[in-house]
């Protein structure tokens, strides 16, 4: 059995916990033809994964992971060649990554895990992007309405592209010194942009150009792939949308887009198969 | 019992006199927010302008803190990261040892638009309108974001403004690592308060205090477009430039014959007022006077924010973040594409910083030539050309055109001169 640590990174609301829940549901459902299938149960407390599964199946919004309450998911996967892959995934709180940007500090746990894992999966929610909107644009948007009181600089309100790029820079810097051979960047909430028919690369360039450029610059040192990823099938904020999702078979909520936006797959393990290969 | 100080800056007596020595709103001053202690800042500047041996990059400082177990907070188990704010000269030296790096000194009297210019250059990447080059890293991303705050909707302001570099902040550098034509170059944009630039004209001693100049390959001298609009100040811009540059030259600061970029700021307002020729006259005068002091003198016309959209009566800025409007007919940063222009930079073939193109193209959908797109309208103009000048270390010229002898004069794409030569 080969053990692989996958380092899962992303700001709050990136969808890390939802990804773990959906992945576990998919694998544990023993669907045939998966790139990486279910192999066996690990002899550990499964309450965490089981809890995620039950919440996810009911289309409940999963509680945000809090700092100090991080859990590790261990999933034994079977590769097509018969080998067994023990996947270990730490569900870090997104706030831990946000603090890297906003508070200029990083926890030892994140540092240790980032260094230990030579495969990184960065999740970025393309449905919740803060853009660098200018004050002039803001004025036009207000259309004569009074703005609120002038607000001090709050790094948490900076553009998403700057925050995510800086987090990735920091992980790869001498400070944290992670050196993953492969980095997958999954654009989550893909269902919100799928209708545009664009590739993940095109969506990234359009919505997060700074990150797109930075990733391109890393190509001489790391293997990088982009994915569009939907683990919920829609937003659960609107009751009508959640009801629509609940009408679907759970697996139909899943969608992974690689290069061709017209050929999504439900098999999320394809991304892991590339990442962990 | 002594009451705890509310301010982390030991030079500030806010608790006694209610005055913030940083000239900030006390509610938002970083020293009072509890996040920054003066020691942290001084730690970023171990040998300010002295060339001492410490020379740790911010990354290294973070590593040293980690090894030493200095986490600075009782129950925090982790490491403190570099501040992400401006670098000092020691940081810059360390960066220059790592890879090809170029220092660009931005000289601008107070209110000339230096901060807007730096923010605008950064915005080329953030807005996805950089054309011919792309972002490959920055150790000062946090500082650049902080710089932009007053021009952002997040500030609740309705007019773009900029955080001014205060005198107490002294010299600092913003860092951008940029890929262009298969090469990677670190750009260090030297930033100092406008007051100290203006005071360079007070004498050779004060001019000699601008310690970043000897290491700068390019001097970007900013001509404040707002001064050209008013009868009372229209001649001041030229007079100031002559006095400042002459005194700095007399101090021997241009001994290396750097390149001089004369950069008109707020050019949208200048052109809207129909007084663009005033800038031409300044360029002519400065070129005649200083042509033997610089390797070349090149002029650029820039505007760093969206006001140009209104002035031109063209497409208003996007009301929604991703308004993918057609490019308005602006005098914008039309492409200087890599295959159309060549550089006469003698260092263009330098081996350091080469990027293996085969590897670069392997990134799925992330080949560098696919990068400089974006869904936003560019907010300013002239900045893309200026950045290319900074990167190439020479004015871009058309491939079919032989390099001109030095000194040369070239103009940006906006104004009476029309297209780039």
């Amino acid at each position: 059995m080969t053990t692989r640590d996958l380092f899962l990174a992303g700001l709050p609301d990136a969808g890390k916990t939802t990804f773990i829940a959906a992945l576990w549901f998919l694998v544990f459902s023993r669907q045939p033809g998966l790139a990486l299938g279910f192999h066996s149960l690990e002899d550990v407390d499964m309450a965490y994964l089981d809890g995620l599964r039950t919440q996810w199946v009911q289309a409940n919004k999963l509680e945000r992971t809090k700092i100090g309450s991080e859990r590790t998911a261990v999933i034994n996967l079977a590769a097509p060649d018969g080998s067994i892959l023990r996947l270990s995934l730490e569900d870090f709180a997104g706030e831990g990554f946000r603090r890297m940007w906003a508070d200029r500090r990083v926890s030892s746990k994140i540092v240790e895990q980032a260094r230990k894992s030579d495969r990184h999966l960065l999740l970025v929610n393309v449905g919740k992007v803060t853009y660098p909107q200018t004050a002039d644009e803001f004025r036009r948007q207000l259309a004569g309405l009074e703005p609120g009181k002038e607000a001090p600089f709050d790094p948490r309100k900076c553009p998403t592209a700057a925050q995510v790029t800086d987090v990735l820079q920091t992980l790869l810097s001498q400070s944290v010194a992670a050196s993953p051979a492969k980095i997958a960047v999954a654009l989550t909430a893909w269902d919100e942009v799928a209708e545009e028919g664009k590739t993940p690369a095109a969506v990234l360039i359009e919505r997060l150009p700074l990150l797109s450029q930075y990733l391109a610059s890393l190509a001489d040192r790391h293997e990088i792939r982009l994915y569009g990823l939907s683990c919920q099938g829609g937003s659960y904020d609107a009751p009508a949308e959640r009801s629509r999702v609940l009408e679907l078979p759970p697996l139909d909520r899943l969608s992974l887009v690689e290069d061709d936006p017209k050929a999504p797959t439900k098999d999320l393990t394809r991304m892991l198969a590339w990442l962990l290969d | 019992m002594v009451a705890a100080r509310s301010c982390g800056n030991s030079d500030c007596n806010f608790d006694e006199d209610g005055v913030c020595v940083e000239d900030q709103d006390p509610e938002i001053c970083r020293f009072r927010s509890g996040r920054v202690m003066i020691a942290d800042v001084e730690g970023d500047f171990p040998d300010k302008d002295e060339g001492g041996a410490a020379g740790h990059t911010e990354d290294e400082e973070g590593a040293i803190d980690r090894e030493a177990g200095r986490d600075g907070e009782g129950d925090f188990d982790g490491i403190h990261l570099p501040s992400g704010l401006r670098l000092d000269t020691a940081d810059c030296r360390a960066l220059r040892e790592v890879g090809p790096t170029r220092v660009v000194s931005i000289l601008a009297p107070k209110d000339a638009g230096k901060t807007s210019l730096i923010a605008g250059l950064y915005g080329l990447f953030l807005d996805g309108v950089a054309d011919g080059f792309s972002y490959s890293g920055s150790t000062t991303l946090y500082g650049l974001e902080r710089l932009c705050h007053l021009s952002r909707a997040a500030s609740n302001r309705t007019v773009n403004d900029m955080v001014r570099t205060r005198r107490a902040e002294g010299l600092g550098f913003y860092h951008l690592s940029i890929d262009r034509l298969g090469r990677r170059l670190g750009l260090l944009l030297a930033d100092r308060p406008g007051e100290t630039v203006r005071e360079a004209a007070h004498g050779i001693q004060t001019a000699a205090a601008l310690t970043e100049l000897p290491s700068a390959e390019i001097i970007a001298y900013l001509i404040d477009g707002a001064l050209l609009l008013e009868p009372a100040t229209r001649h001041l811009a030229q007079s100031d430039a002559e006095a400042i540059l002459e005194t700095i030259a007399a101090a021997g600061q241009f001994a290396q014959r750097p390149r001089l970029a004369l950069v008109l700021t707020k050019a949208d307002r200048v052109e809207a007022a129909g007084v663009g020729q005033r800038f031409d006259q300044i360029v002519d005068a400065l070129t005649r006077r200083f042509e033997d002091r610089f390797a070349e003198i090149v002029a650029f016309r820039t505007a760093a924010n969206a006001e140009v959209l209104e002035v031109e009566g063209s497409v208003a800025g996007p009301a929604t973040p991703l308004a993918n409007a057609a490019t308005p007919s602006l005098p914008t940063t039309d492409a200087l594409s890599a295959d159309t222009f060549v550089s006469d930079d003698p260092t263009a073939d330098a081996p350091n910083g080469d990027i293996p193109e085969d590897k670069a193209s392997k990134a799925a959908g992330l080949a560098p030539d696919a990068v400089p797109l974006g869904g936003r309208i560019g907010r300013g103009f002239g900045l893309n050309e200026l950045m290319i000048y900074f990167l190439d270390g020479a004015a871009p010229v058309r491939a079919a055109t032989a390099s001109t002898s030095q000194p040369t004069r070239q103009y940006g794409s906006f104004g009476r001169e029309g297209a780039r030569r």
Side-chain angles (χ1 to χ4, degrees):
Chain A
M1 181 184 292
T2 307
T3 297
R4 287 280 195 200
D5 286 290
L6 178 61
F7 181 66
L8 187 58
L11 296 175
D13 263 346
K16 298 180 293 300
T17 306
T18 307
F19 168 70
I20 294 173
L23 176 69
W24 176 238
F25 180 88
L26 173 69
V27 171
F28 197 48
S29 67
R30 291 177 175 262
Q31 291 297 308
L34 296 179
L36 294 172
F38 177 78
H39 179 269
S40 58
L41 285 175
E42 181 88 0
D43 185 16
V44 294
D45 181 4
M46 299 294 290
Y48 168 62
L49 278 176
D50 197 51
L52 291 183
R53 178 187 59 76
T54 57
Q55 292 300 313
W56 183 82
V57 167
Q58 297 175 80
N60 287 332
K61 212 169 175 182
L62 296 174
E63 194 175 331
R64 181 179 292 184
T65 307
K66 296 184 179 68
I67 286 181
S69 65
E70 295 92 343
R71 302 294 297 269
T72 304
V74 178
I75 303 174
N76 291 336
L77 298 165
D81 64 3
S83 60
I84 307 166
L85 212 54
R86 182 177 184 272
L87 174 64
S88 176
L89 269 170
E90 180 87 18
D91 186 13
F92 285 112
E95 185 58 24
F97 295 100
R98 175 100 77 194
R99 285 182 178 179
M100 292 169 66
W101 161 257
D103 300 337
R104 315 308 296 173
R105 62 181 189 175
V106 57
S107 74
S108 295
K109 281 185 178 176
I110 288 179
V111 172
E112 286 164 16
Q113 192 64 34
R115 287 178 180 170
K116 192 167 132 188
S117 312
D118 70 344
R119 313 294 157 122
H120 287 199
L121 172 56
L122 174 67
L123 302 190
V124 184
N125 187 335
V126 289
K128 289 187 179 173
V129 172
T130 300
Y131 296 96
Q133 189 184 27
T134 67
D136 285 333
E137 290 165 358
F138 182 50
R139 181 181 68 244
R140 294 186 190 102
Q141 208 168 40
L142 283 171
L145 297 173
E146 282 295 311
K149 185 184 169 193
E150 185 166 318
F153 175 65
D154 181 352
R156 286 170 167 76
K157 292 182 178 171
C158 284
T160 306
Q163 295 193 42
V164 177
T165 301
D166 195 69
V167 166
L168 187 54
Q169 283 183 174
T170 302
L171 290 170
L172 303 178
S173 72
Q174 292 175 43
S175 295
V176 175
S179 54
K182 288 185 176 181
I183 302 172
V185 178
L187 307 182
T188 59
W190 187 255
D191 47 279
E192 295 192 26
V193 299
E195 281 187 6
E196 296 173 14
K198 293 172 181 166
T199 63
V203 170
L204 187 70
I205 287 169
E206 185 179 83
R207 297 191 173 226
L208 300 153
L210 188 76
L211 178 62
S212 171
Q213 294 169 63
Y214 181 59
L215 289 172
S217 78
L218 297 177
D220 59 335
R221 284 164 283 162
H222 312 272
E223 280 191 76
I224 299 171
R225 275 199 187 176
L226 293 178
Y227 296 89
L229 175 66
S230 178
C231 292
Q232 291 192 165
S235 169
Y236 296 167
D237 291 335
E241 177 70 354
R242 179 167 173 262
S243 299
R244 183 191 66 77
V245 170
L246 281 167
E247 290 297 317
L248 301 171
L251 286 177
D252 284 1
R253 300 175 198 168
L254 305 181
S255 180
L256 180 74
V257 170
E258 296 170 293
D259 297 329
D260 184 0
K262 293 176 182 166
T265 174
K266 296 184 180 69
D267 183 4
L268 308 188
T269 68
R270 286 175 62 91
M271 179 168 64
L272 295 180
W274 174 78
L275 203 48
L276 302 177
D277 183 24
Chain B
M1 183 174 170
V2 179
R5 290 174 56 86
S6 69
C7 182
N9 185 342
S10 57
D11 293 334
C12 181
N13 296 318
F14 180 81
D15 292 325
E16 289 80 44
D17 56 19
V19 176
C20 175
V21 75
E22 290 289 311
D23 196 23
Q24 284 276 12
D25 177 346
E27 293 300 314
I28 64 171
C29 177
R30 61 188 179 141
F31 290 104
R32 290 196 75 242
S33 68
R35 171 137 33 89
V36 179
M37 299 295 287
I38 192 69
D40 297 335
V41 178
E42 288 171 345
D44 291 342
F45 301 84
D47 55 349
K48 199 175 192 70
D49 295 352
E50 295 296 324
H56 299 303
T57 63
E58 291 204 326
D59 269 345
E60 287 168 338
E61 287 176 2
I64 290 167
D65 279 351
R66 183 176 64 248
E67 296 303 326
R70 292 193 298 261
D71 63 22
E73 291 173 39
D75 57 352
F76 173 62
D77 177 20
I79 61 172
H80 282 262
L81 298 167
S83 70
L85 299 171
R86 298 188 316 166
L87 306 177
D88 74 350
T89 50
D91 298 327
C92 294
R93 265 196 305 281
L95 276 174
R96 297 184 84 167
E97 288 171 8
V98 174
T101 305
R102 175 167 295 142
V103 175
V104 175
S105 178
I106 300 179
L107 291 180
K110 191 178 172 185
D111 295 331
K114 167 176 52 66
T115 308
S116 296
L117 186 81
I118 294 172
L121 292 171
Y122 164 57
L124 293 172
F125 305 108
L126 193 65
D127 295 336
V129 294
D131 195 347
F133 51 90
S134 62
Y135 175 91
S136 55
S138 170
T139 56
T140 57
L141 206 51
Y142 185 94
L144 287 163
E145 274 299 317
R146 193 164 161 267
L147 192 72
C148 294
H149 174 63
L150 295 181
S151 70
R152 291 273 176 72
S155 69
N156 277 340
R157 291 181 65 90
T158 54
V159 176
N160 289 351
D161 201 350
M162 281 291 154
V163 177
R164 183 170 296 146
T165 310
R166 295 183 307 280
R167 179 185 283 271
E169 291 179 287
L171 173 65
F173 298 81
Y174 289 100
H175 169 245
L176 287 165
S177 175
I178 301 169
D179 289 352
R180 169 158 165 80
L181 302 178
R183 286 200 310 149
R184 183 160 297 165
L185 182 70
L187 210 56
L188 293 164
L189 302 173
D191 169 45
R192 63 162 56 248
E195 293 92 334
T196 60
V197 173
R198 180 66 189 79
E199 287 166 6
H202 291 184
I204 288 175
Q205 290 302 317
T206 51
L210 307 186
T211 52
E212 73 278 22
L213 291 176
S215 61
E217 291 179 51
I218 296 173
I219 309 294
Y221 186 91
L222 272 48
I223 303 288
D224 184 352
L227 295 182
L228 306 189
L229 302 177
E230 301 296 330
T233 56
R234 58 174 291 199
H235 300 294
L236 181 63
Q238 179 180 329
S239 181
D240 269 354
E242 288 173 340
I244 291 168
L245 292 173
E246 188 69 54
T247 316
I248 292 174
Q253 298 274 45
F254 298 143
Q256 305 296 321
R257 280 176 51 87
R259 293 179 164 88
L260 176 66
L262 295 172
V263 181
L264 176 67
T265 60
K266 307 161 193 172
D268 52 333
R269 294 168 61 187
V270 173
E271 296 302 333
V275 294
Q277 78 281 3
R278 292 178 183 170
F279 178 60
D280 301 343
Q281 291 160 1
I282 292 174
V283 172
D284 283 341
L286 294 178
T287 300
R288 279 196 303 275
R289 180 162 179 163
F290 294 107
E291 63 184 0
D292 60 337
R293 312 282 178 87
F294 297 95
E296 66 175 358
I297 299 176
V298 184
F300 294 88
R301 293 157 188 259
T302 66
N305 66 47
E307 292 307 306
V308 66
L309 299 176
E310 297 176 333
V311 171
E312 292 295 310
S314 185
V315 180
T320 55
L322 276 177
N324 199 359
T327 304
S329 55
L330 297 174
T332 55
T333 60
D334 57 318
L336 279 178
S337 66
D339 56 354
T340 310
F341 295 87
V342 296
S343 162
D344 62 359
D345 178 7
T347 66
D349 295 322
N352 292 335
D354 285 352
I355 303 162
E357 291 192 5
D358 56 339
K359 283 200 169 185
S361 62
K362 280 181 183 171
L366 286 170
D369 61 357
V371 167
L373 303 173
R376 304 185 65 95
I377 298 171
R379 293 172 179 140
F381 63 84
L383 301 176
N384 206 82
E385 292 168 291
L386 185 62
M387 180 64 95
I388 287 178
Y389 184 71
F390 288 170
L391 295 171
D392 290 356
V397 293
R398 289 192 180 278
T401 307
S403 295
T404 52
S405 59
Q406 296 174 340
T408 60
R409 278 187 54 204
Q410 298 191 33
Y411 289 86
S413 62
F414 184 78
R416 290 188 304 108
E417 293 76 21
R420 212 175 295 103
R421 292 175 187 172

